[in-house]
Structure formats: structure tokens, C-alpha cells
Amino acid sequence: MRLFAFKRTPLTMRPGIMRMACAALALGLMLGFGAVAPASAQQTTADEAALLQQLKGAPVAGRVSIPDAKSGVLIQPQGREWRQTLEGPVKSAGGWLLVITVVALAAFMAIRGRIKIDSGPSGRTIERFSGIERFAHWLTAICFIILGLSGLNLSFGRTLLLPAIGPEAFTGLTSFGKLAHNFLSFPFVLGVLLMAVLWIRHNIFNAIDMEWFRQGGGLLQKGVHPPAGKFNGGQKIIFWAVVLGAAALAVSGYMLMFPFYVTDIAGMQMAQLVHAIAGIVMVAIILAHIYIGSVGMEGAFDAMGSGQVDMNWAKEHHSLWVKENQARVGGDD
Ligand code: HEM
């Protein structure tokens, strides 16, 4: 903790946040360097380099007597470039994206603090999400968290976890994680489809969202509450990121799970690249979502917990939705 000069700044008032930021930075350095290490370990020898030079990027292929014609390809030099891209820049950019997200959230929390209900809790509640909506959300969320952790372990586990827990524990954990990763993809896709069907009509962008964005969603200043319907502009971005991100993950993921059914080796490499990039971007987005849906905003978690939110919270964050709701069910103000 004595590593950083800003230890003596006023932020030390929040040592928990500083500890999180330092840990995230240290993690980033490990992720960044760790991502490059395997690539350098796979450097070609001088003989290999000479052979590849002679091949001029062309694969070494022959004929095989079995129906699987692609097994006749002995060397595919382009595979090395793909592996180096994945193990080098993609992994290290992904690692840094996660670190920057955690540091940015910690900084936001330090500066803005927990977003309170400005007018205080009213004690009266309004139903925000029905049972089926909460079921779809938590099905997706629980699957995503396990998919995300097991996916991150596949990418960064050898660098971060293996030295910490040893080969035996790491092998067990990774085999279990891989199984979980494959099987939980199905309920995850189901959960996202359900959320898409239930919420798509509330997530079409409109002029109200533009005003919401113009006012920074009221997230940056106390007492600012731009009007919003059931979902505000920021939530609509999360919704579409989840739906489109899950689609990219599902298509590329099932291509990896059932290899060579729909594509050749170049398509498989592309699928892995898309899967890695979409996965890490989604984890970064969902980290921000989890923050604002739990510790970041007073009263938000209840929406997905009990399904009931405080009336003052609802009026401050979703005023148009409260009005629509009251017009429909005939409630008071
Ligand atoms: C511990 C994890 C999570 C927590 C605490 C959490 C919390 C919440 C809360 C409180 C809401 C309702 C916000 C409101 O009433 O306006 C919500 C909505 C939503 N959640 Fe989550 N969530 C979590 C994980 C996830 C994951 C993993 C996904 C998708 C992969 C997800 C996708 C969504 C979507 C699409 C919405 C609707 C749009 C929005 O409110 O942003 N959530 N979540």
C-alpha cells in the first residue's frame, strides 16, 4: 500500500476504495505482462523461422485417406499470427480494459459516493419488476457470472491462479469451469431471450433518452433527475449491449463448441477472436451495471430483489414510468 504517492491525498478517507484501485492496478500489471508472456514463450526457433520464410505464408498440406480432408494440413503458418494476436494484444488490451473499469468505478464511488434517494425514502412502495422479469434477470446474471469467471480463468488463469493455488487445484478448477462454461451457455441464452422478449418494447431509444444523456443521467450531480420511462437511456445501452453481446457470444461460442460444422479453420480462428473480445467487453460493461445496481445507488437493488421499490426512488429515477403506472392502475401521487 506504500507503493503510491496518492496515499496521502484526501482519498485516504476511503481506504477501501484506494485498496481496490491499487489491487486493480497490480492485477492489471500482472494481466498485461502475463498476456505477453505465453506469446514470447511461443517464439519460433531460427529453423522454424527459416522454414516459415520459405513457405511464404502458405500452408503445408497433403492428402489423407480419411474423410476429414482438413487433417491433411500439416502446418498452417497463419495460425501462429492468430495465436500471437490472441495471446498478445487481445489478452493484454482485455486485461487493461477490466482494470481501467474497476479503477474508474472506484474513482466514481470516491467522488460521487453512493447515490441517495434525494427526498429520502417515502416508506411506500411500487412494483418495479414481476416474478418472471426477476427470474429472467437472475437466471441470466447467475449464468453470466459463472461463464465470465470460468472464461477469464481460461484466458488469465495460467498467469494469475496457477502460481497461487498450484497445478492440482488449478486443473480441477479449470476442468470443472470448462464444463460449467459449456453447459451454462444454454440457460444463459434462454435468460437473455426471455429478457429480450419481456423488455424490448421498453428499450427503443427516443427523444427523452437524448435529454437524459444531455443531463448525464443525473448521475454526476445531486438533485438532478432527468425524466425517464421504465428504462432510462443508460439502461437501454446496457440492455442492447447484453442482447447483442450475448448474440455474438452465443454464435461464436457454439461455433467453438461444435467445431468445423459451419466453417473452416479461418472461421474457427475468427470465432475465437470474436468470443474473446465480446466476452471481455461484456464483463467490463456488466461490472459497471453491478456497481450501480447494488452499492452505487440507494434503493436500486430492491427492484431486482423483492421487486418493490420505494415510491420516491421511482419518482426520482423513472418519473414517466410512475405516471404511466398510476394512470393504468389509478394510484395516487
Ligand atoms: C450481482 C449481479 C447483478 C446485480 C446486483 C444486478 C442488479 C440489477 C438491478 C437492480 C436492475 C434493475 C434496475 C432498475 O430497477 O432500474 C437490473 C436490471 C438489469 N440487469 Fe442486472 N444485475 C446483476 C447482473 C446482471 C447481469 C450479469 C446481466 C446480464 C448479463 C444483467 C442484465 C440486466 C439488464 C439487461 C437489466 C435491465 C436494464 C438495466 O437496468 O440496466 N444484470 N440489474
Side-chain angles (χ1 to χ4, degrees), residues 116-139:
K116 299 265 185 207
I117 304 176
D118 279 332
S119 46
S122 70
R124 287 184 306 142
T125 59
I126 174 171
E127 185 180 84
R128 176 99 176 111
F129 293 113
S130 65
I132 180 83
E133 289 177 303
R134 281 177 288 141
F135 170 76
H137 176 267
W138 288 117
L139 178 68

Side-chain angles (χ1 to χ4, degrees), residues 181-245:
H181 200 83
N182 284 357
F183 284 104
L184 289 180
S185 67
F186 297 99
F188 170 70
V189 170
L190 197 75
V192 174
L193 282 175
L194 205 55
M195 285 204 296
V197 170
L198 289 168
W199 292 340
I200 199 159
R201 70 195 169 97
H202 301 291
N203 280 287
I204 312 297
F205 285 97
N206 56 33
I208 296 160
D209 302 319
M210 298 309 131
E211 181 53 25
W212 189 90
F213 287 124
R214 211 185 55 73
Q215 296 192 32
L219 297 174
L220 307 173
Q221 284 164 278
K222 282 196 174 91
V224 177
H225 298 294
K230 175 147 178 159
F231 294 119
N232 60 42
Q235 290 176 305
K236 289 180 185 181
I237 290 182
I238 301 281
F239 173 84
W240 288 110
V242 168
V243 171
L244 300 177

